Amino acid sequence: MTADPLLVRFWGTRGVVPVASTAREVRAKIANALVVARGASIASFEDAARFIDEELDFAATATYGGATSCVEIESGDDAFFVCDMGSGLQQFGREAMGLCRRGRPAKFNVFLSHMHWDHIMGFPSFLPAQDDASTIIIHSCHPDAEDALRRQQDEIFSAVPFEAMAATISFVAVRPGEEIEVDGLRVTAMQQDHPHGSFGYRFGDAAGRSVVYSTDSEHRIDDMAREDAFTAFFREADLVICDTMYSLAASNMAKEDRGHSSNLVAIDLCREAGARRLALFHHDPFHDDEAIQRMHEDSIRYEKLTRGGFPLDVLCAYDGLEILL
């Protein structure tokens, strides 16, 4: 029997705080598109869509989004798998409830990297948590995970207490380095360098495909033994979702000890590991679409300049991106 393909959906790709495009930024995109389209023959929606696809780049017509970290890994039509519960969890929850009403089992396996607010803030508004037909299993390497989720819904912060959630909610402690099997996927966690600790996860299916989710992780050139461990963790992964919040210069200077990494370090690690595809992730909230696109373009150039063997496919994650493995 052939295993179902893995489909990775990005519901939130920002770090620290959610952001939204301003009216001025949207207006600028429209004005730029009109200038570029001057003289073009556009008589229908189809003509306009074709012009956008052929003549304009991503940042000129779309947005990388503003929701904080939330990534879904779909391995079939049974249980849901979700990495982190940032503000992107809200939109995921709405879509998931629609699927559950049409017959998909309302079971949610959540894997938390850490407890910082941008990674848990979506849970109070997560619709499946308000449905008594839902089962939510929260996997974490942090012993204080349940306490953190309960505290963010204390009356001083939230109108909805944790106890009011109607779903069946349970917590599972995960030990770093110990492989577990969860509804058909093999999962292993790895400790990362981040304030209060952060953990990456590697997911593997029966067909040998693998996805690594590694956000909020700082990499240090003075600790190469640690980097060798990451190389092993990323080894031949089909997709590595990696924290690339800063440029290399920023991560080594003003942003040191913040617990984040750079695009160039992520490329080096993935190449050393023989990974096939890298998704730049956890975008800086101070970066607009143009700045994120420039980082993506710089990353592609760096990958080509330093390539020694087979190419590494470097993608830039955005809210709504889907990757089929």
Side-chain angles (χ1 to χ4, degrees):
M1 181 178 179
T2 303
D4 290 317
L6 294 179
L7 178 61
V8 179
R9 293 189 182 92
F10 292 84
W11 297 96
T13 58
R14 289 278 180 170
V16 187
V17 293
V19 295
S21 296
T22 65
R24 184 172 65 179
E25 289 170 339
V26 174
R27 187 173 184 271
K29 288 178 186 285
I30 295 172
N32 176 69
L34 291 174
V35 170
V36 176
R38 184 174 50 192
S41 176
I42 300 177
S44 66
F45 179 87
E46 290 72 21
D47 289 342
R50 190 179 307 110
F51 173 81
I52 289 171
D53 292 340
E54 295 176 357
E55 302 297 333
L56 300 176
D57 60 29
F58 184 87
T61 62
T63 178
Y64 289 93
T68 60
S69 302
C70 183
V71 177
E72 176 192 4
I73 301 174
E74 182 179 310
S75 61
D77 294 327
D78 295 323
F80 293 90
F81 285 81
V82 184
C83 295
D84 278 337
M85 301 193 297
S87 63
L89 187 74
Q90 185 181 64
Q91 180 63 33
F92 164 70
R94 289 197 291 268
E95 297 290 333
M97 284 302 296
L99 293 173
C100 293
R101 293 189 185 104
R102 294 194 291 273
R104 184 165 175 179
K107 182 179 182 182
F108 299 85
N109 292 306
V110 177
F111 294 83
L112 290 179
S113 63
H114 64 307
M115 300 302 115
H116 283 178
W117 195 41
D118 53 324
H119 293 257
I120 65 173
M121 66 191 307
F123 189 64
S125 57
F126 184 43
L127 285 182
Q130 302 167 28
D131 184 358
D132 61 8
S134 297
T135 298
I136 302 172
I137 305 171
I138 299 172
H139 301 77
S140 175
C141 298
H142 289 84
D144 55 355
E146 182 174 358
D147 181 56
L149 291 179
R150 288 181 177 276
R151 284 168 60 191
Q152 81 162 335
Q153 289 181 244
D154 283 349
E155 185 178 12
I156 192 172
F157 303 121
S158 173
V160 181
F162 188 92
E163 293 75 15
M165 297 295 198
T168 300
I169 303 171
S170 61
F171 290 81
V172 173
V174 179
R175 295 181 180 179
E178 183 178 297
E179 184 179 273
I180 60 175
E181 184 169 342
V182 181
D183 288 319
L185 291 184
R186 301 184 308 278
V187 187
T188 307
M190 178 181 178
Q191 188 166 5
Q192 304 177 140
D193 187 355
H194 191 76
H196 194 66
S198 172
F199 296 85
Y201 294 94
R202 182 180 176 112
F203 301 85
D205 70 359
R209 292 170 293 226
S210 56
V211 176
V212 173
Y213 179 77
S214 177
T215 190
D216 292 68
S217 176
E218 186 165 352
H219 298 281
R220 303 177 187 271
I221 60 175
D222 59 350
D223 188 358
M224 294 312 297
R226 184 71 172 156
E227 299 314 295
D228 288 343
F230 274 95
T231 298
F233 194 62
F234 292 1
R235 181 72 62 197
E236 297 182 352
D238 292 284
L239 173 65
V240 175
I241 302 165
C242 199
D243 184 327
T244 56
M245 187 165 168
Y246 302 134
S247 67
L248 182 61
S251 64
N252 286 337
M253 296 173 61
K255 308 297 185 179
E256 191 174 8
D257 299 323
R258 301 274 184 96
H260 299 288
S261 189
S262 77
N263 53 333
L264 306 190
V265 169
I267 291 169
D268 289 344
L269 286 171
C270 286
R271 177 179 288 110
E272 184 68 23
R276 295 170 179 81
R277 189 175 294 176
L278 166 66
L280 310 179
F281 185 72
H282 204 271
H283 307 311
D284 193 323
F286 291 105
H287 288 174
D288 59 18
D289 291 320
E290 287 72 21
I292 295 173
Q293 180 166 283
R294 285 195 297 272
M295 177 180 278
H296 185 203
E297 292 167 349
D298 289 344
S299 301
I300 292 173
R301 282 193 290 270
Y302 178 77
E303 190 281 328
K304 289 180 179 178
L305 286 171
T306 59
R307 185 184 300 167
F310 67 88
L312 171 69
D313 188 12
V314 181
L315 308 174
C316 193
Y318 59 86
D319 297 4
L321 173 64
E322 296 186 353
I323 301 175
L324 183 65
L325 303 177

